[in-house]
Amino acid sequence: GWRPVDETLGSPQTRNIELRVTVVPASGQASGPPLFFLPGGPGESATPGPGLLASLAPLREGRDLVFVDPRGTGESRRLDCPPSNDPLAGAALWSVAEVHACVAALSGSADLTRYTTEELARDLDSVRRALGLPPVDLLAFSAGTRMAMELMRGHPEAVRQAILVSVVPFDMGMPSSFARDMEDALDHLIDDCAADAACGAAYPDLRSDLDAVFAQLRRKPVKVQLPAIAPGRTLSVRYGPAADAVRSLLYSIARSADLPRTIHRAAEGDFVPLATAIAVRTRSVTAISTPVYLSSTCAADLPWLKLRAARQLAVACCTRANAL
């Protein structure tokens, strides 16, 4: 169903936003309060697909599950910038000029200052009250943990308890730590590979392979063809999107397990696996509402960052991951 909310609370000129709400009934006898699922991003939709519902099946046995697409995402009047035509853009989908153009294009239909954590939390409480629910439980991931913490802070009567996975503190200052975090994760991966007999034997010079690949991409892009992704086109593997794709692979134990092979193949001249990883990363980024991501990040993080110091930190601590 749908729950209407004001884009700007208390304003007579406010726009109306219809929030997409999905309630999945408990598969057994309901014995606990409903569980609200809070997605990450910020900018991800919450509407569940079969995979998510399957993973949440044990939780559904004794409680209803509630999914609310945050304003500006999914079916809650999603906001988007014009799509990039580069399948290997990675997270760098738009230039500064393109972001300014996107803001100008959306300003007539949305107040982009109203797509922040505070508004998202208020929307969740509005849905809870509309459904007539008592204090609920929360299951939040990544950027969704900020939404959960804001809901607990601003609307304590709405929440019984919360499970926060991959917590993003309010004072984290994204993305200032990304380069350092990536470097640390890469070092751990390389050390783990060396300590594993099979991995160490297959990739005995993984650190050298990684440095060589990044050094080559810093000098100039590498041309590849990916017929399944861009038939008839020659694409460019560039350093920034490649570093970002490696960082995204390190988020997952399963996906990072294949990273040594990907790096080694590139060191031998075959950049197709790395280019494919960049294409996957690009698709994952476009699944998120960029205007919502930027509105939230620019309000919650960027005002507190000293960009010069962040760049200096990236260069000082990192030999490979200083994509900042």
Side-chain angles (χ1 to χ4, degrees), residues 95-109:
S95 66
V96 173
E98 288 171 324
V99 170
H100 281 300
C102 180
V103 170
L106 292 174
S107 293
S109 58

Side-chain angles (χ1 to χ4, degrees), residues 138-197:
L138 309 176
L139 176 59
F141 290 86
S142 189
T145 63
R146 281 187 174 178
M147 203 188 314
M149 290 186 286
E150 180 62 37
L151 184 61
M152 289 187 283
R153 179 170 63 182
H155 308 274
E157 75 286 353
V159 182
R160 187 183 76 120
Q161 63 181 356
I163 303 168
L164 309 181
V165 182
S166 297
V167 179
V168 182
F170 285 106
D171 62 352
M172 181 177 178
M174 294 189 299
S176 60
S177 68
F178 283 7
R180 182 185 66 244
D181 295 341
M182 173 182 171
E183 186 82 358
D184 290 344
L186 276 172
D187 286 342
H188 283 300
L189 179 69
I190 292 170
D191 291 343
D192 288 347
C193 181
D196 181 87

Side-chain angles (χ1 to χ4, degrees), residues 1 47 80 108 129 151 160 179 182 193 251 255 288 318:
T47 298
D80 266 318
R129 288 185 284 106
L151 184 61
R160 187 183 76 120
M182 173 182 171
C193 181
Y251 271 62
R255 295 174 67 198
I288 293 176
C318 312

Side-chain angles (χ1 to χ4, degrees), residues 1-3 18-26 34-38 45-50 52-53 56 60 63-70 74-76 124 127 131 133:
W2 306 88
R3 168 61 178 171
E18 296 278 341
L19 300 177
R20 177 64 166 170
V21 182
T22 304
V23 179
V24 181
L35 180 69
F36 275 58
F37 176 85
L38 279 58
S45 164
T47 298
L52 178 58
L53 286 178
L56 297 178
R60 185 188 167 200
R63 64 178 71 215
D64 296 344
L65 305 182
V66 182
F67 305 85
V68 182
D69 279 352
E75 294 187 57
S76 296
L124 284 177
V127 170
L131 293 174
L133 299 177

Side-chain angles (χ1 to χ4, degrees), residues 88 226 245-246 248-249 255 262 272-282:
L88 302 187
L226 299 176
V246 169
S248 70
L249 291 172
R255 295 174 67 198
T262 299
V272 169
L274 181 56
T276 302
I278 299 172
V280 171
R281 170 64 169 161
T282 305

Side-chain angles (χ1 to χ4, degrees), residues 201-212:
Y203 313 110
D205 300 310
L206 184 57
R207 193 177 297 274
S208 297
D209 287 347
L210 181 64
D211 291 342

